[in-house]
């Protein structure tokens, strides 16, 4: 049996959010991933984030590629339409879906194999086009689903479970996202829900291409001594630049400034991101500073997490294309078909 | 040798240098003849190259209206020194050679059996214009002017065309008229005109329009309601999305808000362009991409997903010479198999075969309807010959009462009313399941789309029976498609015959002519023009009703023949291959000779058996 439905027991005491849903309503089918897989923690964080954001689950479209990570959309937001596309090519499908209906919220879930190898081109181009979505890479440094080969994000010198040493330099998706024009860039760790949930909330509320690279250890193939994507390694080397709170647009905003330590940034939908800066020299609105800060820390073997970059003035593909407010998939012949009169005129011009 | 004589029936070919501005002058020449009521069918012949390389424009003037390529050249306008020898050699005995006589050319470079007409085009242009670019551009108009006197085309026709083309730009009109008359005056003064080849006013054009297949497809996509287009440049398909952009800018920008009712993305490659089309189709928009063979190769993984996950997508394949980069600027019909069975595993796809721009328009709109109705990829199969050449055809028509067939989409109300929804369930017995658009209903009708097997309720499954149910249903759907696609067109012979011929797409004009020629020579053949795959029953009946059936196509491996044998189980011996695949458009001469030769062989065989 490869499909497990989750029993739908509604406990009357479960708390409802503003749109009348309980946390249960944001769950999906029972995960078939290995017990302890970091990806399951990310699913839980997505569930938490959407519930806290009072999003109606069916207003979300969740798309993914192929891999253990890409299976996860089946395990959250059961009332949303999901699409498990082909290996590495989720970004294009999501782009098309977004063009068809700008009114839904788009969640793209991918793996490091999916996004940094076969799908690197699509990842890059979706970022530079500014497709509005929350793009989450569940980064474990290996191919989980095909049983433990190195992925392109594996660090040089790290070891596979079988003891093979990786000789290639890693692809840093965060660095790429920064360079390519993503307007919300973060890195987190699947084991740090406190940090991850507000980051996901911020990404969903963001008005352009939001990217979160989540280190997500693969307990089966990449959670051993030689790995730099294991739970222990990340816990020891984690260097958080910020903790963030997400303040939705509808709640009252109270400013509490402790200069040099807390800043508030308003997002396109009116929501606020409150950054508790752990490093007073860290400015999350400076794309190039973010890049060099991250690179410097990386040199020292540190994994920098937190909200690394945010452009509050983000734009998206619909703005560049100047598309109508009405979703394109809702338009009928009246809006789309020029009619027979126009055609006769056109015929006349072709004689 | 006696110079050739013909009125309203000749082939003229222009040998030019790419980038010299000759394209618009040549088109102007063709249009002027059309305005005289005489049908013309031009073809661009261009190697895969950029500026400075050779390019040809071959126009067939034919009062009878045959628009297939005739073969042979009666008059060569040799404007490219680089290709001079080959161009001169191509002229039919008794034909004409027109050239720029500014610089002397040795006598050995000419032929005795053709009439040579020299006009010092460069000299005339240089003395009249000072700007180098103008000198170049107007040289073309000067040769058009010279030819107009030689071939007896009226000056007023050109003047009207200039006035229409440059409306509001008086300076340009004047300069063009001036250049035209420089050419005309030179010929009148120095040469004997008109020639044996001539144009004479007729009324054989009527209401027909003159346009190319790629623009017609783009227009069909606008009328058919496509809102998302994603593409990656490739010859000969690029002008489809480019024309779509042009028409959308004209027709699809809301006058009140200035906002667009369409989205066009030039993707990073074909993988992304088909991916975007899939995403848009999944999310309820009508979407298409346009490409050619190599692009189809890249798209196949996604095409398999669209087939299996049942997502509407429209793919326009403007075919060119393959395999690989083959002959990128030449025409072929050689992607039939790679499209009919695109992707791994058991797949079958719907293909449409328009014959001319008129049908390109109709089939493009139909493809969008079919994609939604059948929830599957629909391939619109044209080729460079239809796509990039202008052709006379019936005008476009649109019935304002026509609505879009969005297929089986379950609404929130239907879900609310408790209608059972199983995404991959065959409830109507036609193999087509119901779908919902994302975001339809808060609690009902959502499903997970994937390329892996699932049960009728879209739940992941690795059970054999679930897989088989699904695969069988897809076959049932394909059979349903046979009734929905454009049906074949029959042209019966004048008298009962045991001979039949099957053909499709751009072969059509050459076939019309070949059938007339064959009839005149006493060979009667029933002809069936295929307009789609899967084949409707009428195709099988047609084959059964004839002893020998020729299958005419433009590829080496008889791909349509393979499809017919494979899908209909007909005896391959009854289907005779007529194959043309050198990259040039098939001609009536070729078809006629091939059929005559085959028939001689067949008669010999019959005699032997007796
Ligand atoms: C075109 C193609 N090539 C290869 C595969 C096989 N494949 C499936 S998942 C996968 C790697 C997944 O790795 P990653 O994206 O890191 O996800 P993880 O399983 O580690 O979460 C590969 C290579 C495929 N499905 N499609
Ligand atoms: S193989 Fe690794 S990535 Fe895949 S489910 Fe197991 S732990 Fe997670």
């Amino acid at each position: 049996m490869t499909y497990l439905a989750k029993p739908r027991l509604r406990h009357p005491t479960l708390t409802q959010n503003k749109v009348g849903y309980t946390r249960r309503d944001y769950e999906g089918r029972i995960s078939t991933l290995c017990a302890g897989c970091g990806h399951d923690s990310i699913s839980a964080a997505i569930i938490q984030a959407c519930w806290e954001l009072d999003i109606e689950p069916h207003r979300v479209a969740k798309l993914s590629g192929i891999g253990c990570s890409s299976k996860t959309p089946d395990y959250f937001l059961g009332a949303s339409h999901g699409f498990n596309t082909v290996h590495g090519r989720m970004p294009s499908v999501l782009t098309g879906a977004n063009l068809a209906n700008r009114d839904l919220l788009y969640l793209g879930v991918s793996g490091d194999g999916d996004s940094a190898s076969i799908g690197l081109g699509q990842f890059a181009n979706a970022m530079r086009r500014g497709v509005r979505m929350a793009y989450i890479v569940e980064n474990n440094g290996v191919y989980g689903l095909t049983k433990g080969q190195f992925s392109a994000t594996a660090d040089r010198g790290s070891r596979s479970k079988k003891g093979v040493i990786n000789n290639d330099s890693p692809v840093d998706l965060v660095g790429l996202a920064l360079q390519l024009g993503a307007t919300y860039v973060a890195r987190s760790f699947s084991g740090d829900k406190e940090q991850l949930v507000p980051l996901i909330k911020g990404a969903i509320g963001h008005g352009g291409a939001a990217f979160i690279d989540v280190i997500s250890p693969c307990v089966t193939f990449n959670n051993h001594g030689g790995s730099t994507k294991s739970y222990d390694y990340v816990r020891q080397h984690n260097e958080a630049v910020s903790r963030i709170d997400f303040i939705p647009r509808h709640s009252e905003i109270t400013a509490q400034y402790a200069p040099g330590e807390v800043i508030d940034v308003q997002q396109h939908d009116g929501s606020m991101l409150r950054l508790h800066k752990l490093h007073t020299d860290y400015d999350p609105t400076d794309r190039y500073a973010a890049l060099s800060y991250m690179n410097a820390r990386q040199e020292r073997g540190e994994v920098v997490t937190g909200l690394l970059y945010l452009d509050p003035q983000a734009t998206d593909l619909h703005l560049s294309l100047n598309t109508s407010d009405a979703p394109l998939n809702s338009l009928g012949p009246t809006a789309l078909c020029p009619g027979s009169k126009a055609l006769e005129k056109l015929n006349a011009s072709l004689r | 040798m006696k110079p050739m004589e013909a009125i309203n029936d000749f082939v003229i070919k222009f040998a030019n240098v790419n980038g010299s501005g000759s394209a618009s002058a040549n088109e102007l020449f063709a249009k002027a003849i059309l305005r005289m009521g005489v049908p013309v069918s031009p073809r661009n012949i261009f190697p895969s190259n950029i500026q400075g390389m050779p390019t040809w424009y071959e126009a067939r003037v034919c009062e009878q209206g045959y628009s297939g390529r005739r073969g042979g050249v009666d008059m060569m306008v040799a404007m490219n020194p680089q290709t001079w020898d080959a161009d001169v050699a191509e002229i039919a005995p008794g034909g004409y050679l027109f050239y720029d006589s500014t610089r002397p050319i040795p006598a050995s470079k000419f032929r005795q059996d053709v009439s040579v007409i020299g006009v010092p085009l460069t000299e005339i242009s240089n003395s009249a214009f000072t700007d180098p670019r103008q000198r170049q551009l107007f040289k073309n108009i000067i040769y058009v002017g010279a030819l107009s006197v030689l071939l007896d085309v009226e000056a007023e026709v050109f003047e009207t065309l200039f006035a229409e083309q440059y409306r509001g730009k008086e300076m340009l009109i004047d300069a063009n008229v001036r250049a035209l008359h420089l050419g005309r005056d030179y010929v009148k003064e120095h040469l004997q005109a008109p020639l044996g080849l001539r144009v004479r006013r007729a009324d054989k054009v009527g209401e027909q329009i003159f346009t190319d297949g790629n623009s017609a497809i783009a227009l069909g996509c606008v009328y058919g309601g496509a809102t998302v287009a994603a593409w990656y440049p490739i010859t000969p398909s690029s002008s489809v999305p480019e024309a779509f952009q042009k028409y959308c800018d004209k027709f699809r920008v809301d006058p009140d808000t200035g906002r667009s009712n369409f989205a066009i993305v030039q993707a990073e490659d074909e993988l992304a362009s088909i991916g975007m089309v899939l995403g848009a189709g999944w999310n309820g928009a009508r979407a298409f991409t346009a490409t050619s063979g190599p692009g189809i190769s890249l798209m196949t993984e996604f095409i398999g997903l669209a087939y299996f996950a049942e997502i509407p997508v429209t793919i326009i394949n403007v075919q060119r010479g393959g395999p690989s980069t083959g002959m990128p600027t030449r025409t072929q019909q050689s992607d039939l198999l790679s499209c009919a069975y695109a992707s791994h595993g058991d797949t079958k796809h719907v293909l449409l075969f328009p014959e001319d721009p008129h049908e390109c328009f109709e089939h493009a709109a139909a493809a969008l309807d079919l994609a939604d109705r059948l929830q599957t990829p629909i391939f619109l199969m044209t080729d460079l010959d239809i796509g990039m050449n202008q052709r006379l055809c019936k005008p476009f028509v649109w019935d304002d009462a026509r609505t879009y067939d969005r297929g089986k989409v379950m609404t929130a109300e239907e879900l609310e009313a408790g209608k059972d929804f199983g995404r991959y369930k065959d409830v109507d017995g036609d193999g087509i399941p119901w779908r919902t658009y994302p975001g339809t209903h808060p609690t009902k009708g959502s499903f997970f789309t994937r390329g892996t097997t699932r049960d009728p309720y879209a739940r992941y499954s690795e059970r054999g029976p679930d897989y088989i149910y699904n695969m069988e249903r897809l076959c049932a759907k394909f059979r349903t498609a046979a009734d929905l696609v454009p049906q074949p067109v029959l042209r019966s012979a004048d008298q009962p015959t045991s001979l039949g011929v099957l053909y499709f797409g751009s072969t059509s004009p050459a076939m019309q002519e070949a059938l007339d020629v064959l009839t005149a020579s006493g060979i009667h053949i029933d002809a069936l023009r295929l307009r789609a795959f899967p084949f409707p029953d009428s195709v099988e009946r047609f084959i059964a009703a004839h002893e020998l059936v020729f299958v005419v196509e433009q590829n080496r491996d008889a791909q349509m023949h393979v499809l017919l044998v494979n899908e209909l189980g007909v005896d391959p011996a009854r289907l005779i291959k007529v194959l043309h695949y050198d990259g040039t458009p098939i001609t009536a001469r070729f078809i006629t000779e091939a059929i005559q030769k085959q028939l001689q062989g067949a008669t010999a065989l019959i005699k032997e058996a007796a």
Side-chain angles (χ1 to χ4, degrees):
Chain A
M1 184 75 175
T2 42
Y3 149 72
L4 296 171
K6 200 170 258 186
R8 281 238 157 237
L9 288 177
R10 255 175 213 276
H11 206 280
T13 57
L14 283 179
T15 354
Q16 292 186 343
N17 61 8
K18 289 214 177 64
V19 282
Y21 292 92
T22 69
R23 209 182 154 285
R24 264 287 158 84
D25 296 317
Y26 293 82
E27 292 175 351
R29 301 188 193 288
I30 289 176
S31 168
T32 59
L33 303 184
C34 309
C37 176
H39 300 352
D40 280 334
S41 315
I42 302 173
S43 296
I46 292 171
I47 290 170
Q48 176 100 12
C50 292
W51 184 66
E52 288 178 7
L53 280 177
D54 303 317
I55 288 170
E56 294 175 287
H58 74 292
R59 304 304 300 165
V60 177
K62 42 181 191 176
L63 294 96
S64 62
I66 299 285
C68 297
S69 34
S70 289
K71 281 180 156 193
T72 62
D74 211 8
Y75 312 144
F76 56 78
L77 299 179
S80 307
H81 275 64
F83 195 166
N84 212 181
T85 64
V86 295
H87 192 21
R89 265 61 63 71
M90 171 276 286
S92 62
V93 181
L94 191 149
T95 302
N98 184 309
L99 289 175
N101 184 358
R102 61 189 301 170
D103 280 355
L104 300 182
L105 293 170
Y106 292 90
L107 192 57
V109 178
S110 178
D112 44 307
D114 207 54
S115 278
S117 297
I118 189 166
L120 190 60
Q122 295 222 336
F123 162 77
N125 282 286
M127 291 297 121
R128 60 179 266 273
R129 282 194 189 102
V131 180
R132 187 179 171 200
M133 63 167 141
Y135 189 138
I136 298 173
V137 165
E138 309 190 341
N139 185 351
N140 54 17
V142 288
Y143 287 178
L145 198 64
T146 52
K147 300 194 186 303
Q149 301 83 2
F150 280 122
S151 87
T153 64
D155 287 314
R156 189 195 282 267
S158 64
R159 266 174 207 279
S160 77
K161 200 177 175 186
K162 289 187 177 142
V164 179
I165 295 181
N166 177 36
N167 293 319
D168 302 335
S169 300
V171 167
D172 180 10
L173 292 171
V174 161
L176 277 176
L178 281 170
Q179 283 182 9
L180 291 163
T183 43
Y184 182 106
V185 182
R187 173 169 277 146
S188 192
F189 172 45
S190 64
D192 185 355
K193 224 167 155 187
E194 245 179 83
Q195 185 194 50
L196 182 56
V197 172
L199 281 177
I200 294 174
K201 288 161 83 175
I204 292 174
H206 185 64
F211 174 68
I212 313 177
D213 180 46
V214 189
I215 312 290
S216 173
C218 168
V219 284
T220 307
F221 298 110
N222 210 15
N223 197 32
H224 48 82
S227 163
T228 58
K229 301 268 191 300
S230 66
Y231 282 110
D232 287 345
Y233 186 93
V234 181
R235 283 206 185 95
Q236 279 156 26
H237 297 80
N238 188 359
E239 178 74 20
V241 290
S242 58
R243 292 265 165 211
I244 69 167
D245 292 337
F246 182 85
I247 305 161
R249 144 171 71 178
H250 39 68
S251 60
E252 193 186 325
I253 297 160
T254 50
Q256 231 186 39
Y257 282 96
E261 288 187 343
V262 175
I263 56 164
D264 283 4
V265 196
Q266 187 169 20
Q267 292 242 90
H268 108 112
D269 65 347
S271 60
M272 282 288 184
L273 285 178
R274 175 161 300 161
L275 286 131
H276 306 259
K277 299 215 296 182
L278 301 183
H279 293 271
T280 43
D281 57 343
Y282 192 78
D283 174 8
T285 60
D286 183 338
R287 189 185 287 274
Y288 299 99
L291 202 53
S292 65
Y293 183 87
M294 201 186 60
N295 287 341
R297 295 291 164 139
Q298 212 146 293
E299 286 285 292
R300 292 197 271 166
E302 292 172 5
V303 182
V304 180
T305 63
L307 180 61
L308 298 163
Y309 174 69
L310 172 72
D311 175 357
Q313 253 84 54
T315 60
D316 88 322
L317 184 57
H318 279 287
L319 195 77
S320 333
L321 293 175
N322 194 27
T323 34
S324 67
D325 279 335
L328 292 177
N329 73 351
S330 70
L331 303 175
T334 334
L336 301 178
C337 184
S340 61
K341 283 258 154 54
L343 198 57
E344 277 160 27
K345 256 173 101 174
L346 225 133
N347 280 329
S349 73
L350 298 172
R351 287 186 181 117
Chain B
M1 184 159 202
K2 199 167 166 289
M4 203 179 269
E5 282 187 24
I7 295 171
N8 291 351
D9 188 9
F10 58 89
V11 172
I12 179 166
K13 189 168 179 176
F14 299 81
N16 294 106
V17 179
N18 202 359
S20 62
S22 57
S24 50
N26 297 344
E27 192 188 322
L28 175 81
F29 174 81
K31 272 202 138 170
I33 298 179
L34 282 175
R35 288 287 175 94
M36 302 230 344
V38 182
V40 180
S41 56
R43 283 182 169 79
N44 290 293
I45 304 159
F46 58 106
S48 177
N49 64 36
I50 40 166
Q51 196 142 340
M53 298 291 279
T55 172
W56 292 269
Y57 184 82
E58 184 185 288
R60 177 178 186 187
V61 178
C62 177
E63 186 165 330
Q64 278 165 291
Y66 294 127
S67 58
R69 198 175 175 217
R70 190 200 69 182
V73 175
D74 303 329
M75 181 173 205
M76 179 67 73
V77 180
M79 299 298 292
N80 188 350
Q82 262 184 308
T83 57
W84 176 274
D85 291 341
D87 293 335
V88 171
E90 218 185 323
I91 306 167
Y96 301 84
L97 167 67
F98 177 99
Y99 79 110
D100 179 358
S101 61
T102 304
R103 264 172 233 99
I105 289 178
S108 61
K109 289 279 188 186
F110 295 101
R111 267 170 57 184
Q112 294 305 314
D113 59 345
V114 301
S115 309
V116 177
I117 304 145
V119 177
L121 299 167
T122 308
E123 192 186 306
I124 302 174
S125 188
N126 287 1
S127 58
F129 302 96
T130 47
D131 177 72
R133 185 66 189 153
Q134 277 196 345
R135 284 177 165 175
Q136 175 58 52
L137 290 176
F138 287 119
K139 188 161 84 180
N140 303 320
I141 302 297
I142 295 169
Y143 76 61
V144 169
L147 288 170
S148 70
V149 180
L150 293 165
L151 299 170
D152 215 8
V153 188
E154 298 157 15
E156 299 76 50
V157 175
F158 289 99
E159 284 162 13
T160 317
L161 282 168
F162 287 136
E164 287 172 16
Q165 192 177 346
Y166 303 113
R167 192 165 298 145
K169 297 173 190 158
E170 301 304 324
M171 296 251 289
L172 269 175
I173 300 177
D174 293 346
N176 276 284
V177 171
R178 187 172 153 224
L180 184 86
H181 282 282
L182 286 170
R184 287 184 68 88
D185 294 345
Y186 181 89
V187 174
K188 282 187 201 156
E189 263 174 54
H190 300 91
L191 301 170
Q192 256 208 312
L195 305 173
L197 297 183
R198 265 176 237 183
V199 180
R200 189 172 59 203
R201 264 200 184 272
D203 56 355
K204 303 290 182 191
V205 171
E207 283 298 288
Q208 293 181 93
I209 55 169
F210 186 61
T211 189
D212 62 279
N214 282 358
S215 319
I217 284 177
L219 194 63
C221 288
V222 171
Y223 273 75
T227 49
V228 177
W231 66 293
Y232 188 74
I234 184 168
T235 306
S237 72
S238 300
S239 55
V240 174
E242 282 164 358
F244 184 67
Q245 175 89 53
K246 188 188 79 185
Y247 288 128
C248 282
D249 288 344
K250 185 175 164 124
F251 293 124
R252 287 276 194 80
V253 179
D254 187 316
D256 299 327
T257 61
R259 307 277 289 279
S260 302
N261 286 333
F262 63 93
I264 302 172
V265 178
Q266 184 186 319
E268 58 269 32
D269 53 34
E270 286 86 350
L271 303 173
S273 47
I274 185 74
M276 290 177 198
V277 172
L278 237 91
W282 174 75
N283 215 359
R286 298 197 142 187
F288 76 92
T289 185
T291 188
S292 194
I296 296 289
S297 295
L298 283 179
M299 290 177 183
T300 53
E301 189 191 17
F302 258 137
I303 291 169
L305 174 65
Y307 173 78
F308 198 58
E310 300 180 64
I311 297 165
V313 296
T314 296
I315 299 164
I316 291 142
N317 181 4
V318 189
Q319 297 165 90
R320 61 190 212 178
S324 188
T325 330
M327 291 207 287
T329 60
R330 303 303 166 109
T331 197
Q332 262 183 9
Q333 298 175 316
S334 52
D335 298 344
L336 302 191
L337 292 172
S338 67
C339 290
Y341 302 125
S343 200
H344 54 279
D346 292 325
T347 52
K348 281 176 201 268
H349 306 293
V350 176
L351 316 178
L352 309 184
F353 308 112
E355 66 166 349
D356 65 2
H358 175 83
E359 272 195 359
C360 282
F361 172 83
E362 304 241 303
H363 286 196
L368 294 160
D369 275 349
L370 281 169
D372 269 350
R373 166 59 46 187
L374 293 163
Q375 300 171 29
T376 200
I378 306 291
F379 288 81
L380 186 51
M381 305 288 285
T382 69
D383 55 29
L384 183 144
D385 189 26
I386 310 179
M388 291 188 69
N389 293 316
Q390 291 178 300
R391 197 78 72 243
L392 265 186
C393 63
K394 283 187 283 181
F396 303 132
V397 280
W398 189 262
D399 176 1
D400 287 326
R402 178 169 168 175
T403 54
Y404 300 147
D405 180 358
R406 301 308 317 259
K408 299 186 188 182
V409 181
M410 213 174 273
T411 61
E413 294 70 38
E414 286 167 320
L415 289 165
E416 193 56 48
K419 211 167 166 183
D420 178 39
F421 176 68
R423 171 64 183 106
Y424 296 110
K425 206 172 153 189
D426 185 2
V427 279
D428 307 311
D430 56 2
I432 309 171
W434 286 77
R435 64 173 178 145
T436 53
Y437 297 155
T440 299
H441 190 282
T443 52
K444 301 184 174 94
S446 74
F447 63 92
F448 205 86
T449 307
R450 47 163 71 86
T452 22
T453 309
R454 62 273 149 152
D455 68 9
Y457 288 88
R459 294 172 300 205
Y460 182 87
S461 165
E462 290 177 18
R463 291 179 62 238
D466 282 337
Y467 176 75
I468 289 181
Y469 170 81
N470 203 50
M471 292 300 278
E472 287 298 322
R473 187 178 50 72
L474 286 169
C475 277
K477 181 161 96 167
F478 199 65
R479 283 190 294 277
T480 300
D483 293 330
L484 299 178
V485 295
Q487 301 296 298
V489 179
L490 177 72
R491 172 181 155 156
S492 299
D494 298 344
Q495 46 180 272
T497 171
S498 61
L499 298 178
V501 62
L502 293 170
Y503 65 102
F504 58 97
S506 63
T507 306
S508 198
M511 197 70 221
Q512 303 296 339
E513 187 176 358
L515 287 169
D516 288 351
V517 175
L518 287 166
T519 309
S521 76
I523 300 171
H524 300 274
I525 309 182
D526 290 329
L528 193 70
R529 178 164 69 85
L530 302 170
R531 294 206 295 169
F533 174 76
F535 304 118
D537 294 343
S538 53
V539 178
E540 206 169 347
R541 286 199 301 271
F542 180 86
I543 297 173
H546 296 89
E547 241 159 79
L548 289 181
V549 177
F550 298 97
V551 183
V552 183
E553 50 186 317
Q554 304 187 55
N555 59 65
R556 183 193 70 178
D557 290 345
Q559 298 191 21
M560 184 58 88
H561 184 276
V562 171
L563 276 181
L564 289 161
V565 170
N566 194 40
E567 295 290 325
L568 301 180
V570 285
D571 174 7
R574 309 237 327 275
L575 300 179
I576 302 174
K577 303 167 188 169
V578 176
L579 307 173
H580 182 274
Y581 57 93
D582 67 1
T584 60
I586 194 167
T587 61
R589 282 183 195 175
F590 178 89
I591 299 171
T592 316
E593 280 166 23
I595 289 181
Q596 280 166 341
K597 219 158 92 192
Q598 293 276 7
L599 284 176
Q600 278 159 15
T603 334
L605 274 179
I606 294 162
K607 273 191 193 139
E608 230 169 77

